[in-house]
Amino acid sequence: MAHYRSNYRVQAMAALTGHTRFADFTAPKVWSGSVDTQSLPVLGVLTPQEGFRMESFTTSERKTLMQIAIRRAGGDDVEDILDEDSAFVEALVTGALRQQNQFCFLRETSIVSNADGARNIGTLVMGFEITSLRAPATLPDTPDIVPRGSRAVPIFY
């Protein structure tokens, strides 16, 4: 079974690349900070941070930051195009996750543009917060493996 953060990324990426606006984007699972201009436009989904708060001994509240990043080349209107992209991203991502009964909303949007030779390169980064209630992580009901010669006693959960 996939981890819940992995599921968030898969759901968001499927919603985005399934729409005609983003269907032709390069969409690697891991996106390094440097992307060559031949790969543009590029789309990335990542979950770099998660807040944690205990609700009880059996439940914790998780606030997962999911970021959607888009980089594209353009002319003087690259920021305008990224503004339009952001409206699609917000609708597609919140719609896909809410359809799966996930509490998801947009927290922030940033757009940066710079010149790369003769073209402008624009980057859109949108941060979404996904809130969920989860049981604490547990280990399987098997004894821990203890190295040979160790004095440690196996722990059962």
Side-chain angles (χ1 to χ4, degrees), residues 27 86 113:
S86 74
S113 60

Side-chain angles (χ1 to χ4, degrees), residues 56-67:
S56 69
F57 286 117
T58 59
T59 306
S60 64
E61 178 186 70
R62 309 290 176 112
K63 291 185 181 279
T64 305
L65 170 63
M66 181 170 66
Q67 292 180 323

Side-chain angles (χ1 to χ4, degrees), residues 95-107:
L97 281 131
R98 288 177 183 167
Q99 187 175 15
Q100 300 298 317
N101 294 320
Q102 299 296 326
F103 184 69
C104 173
F105 64 92
L106 177 65
R107 290 202 59 143

Side-chain angles (χ1 to χ4, degrees), residues 103-118:
F103 184 69
C104 173
F105 64 92
L106 177 65
R107 290 202 59 143
E108 60 187 13
T109 300
S110 68
I111 295 176
V112 177
S113 60
N114 56 25
D116 178 32

Side-chain angles (χ1 to χ4, degrees), residues 112-141:
V112 177
S113 60
N114 56 25
D116 178 32
R119 300 187 303 179
N120 289 330
I121 304 295
T123 303
L124 165 70
V125 178
M126 299 178 74
F128 293 84
E129 182 177 296
I130 305 166
T131 303
S132 62
L133 295 177
R134 305 246 166 232
T138 59
L139 296 174
D141 290 333

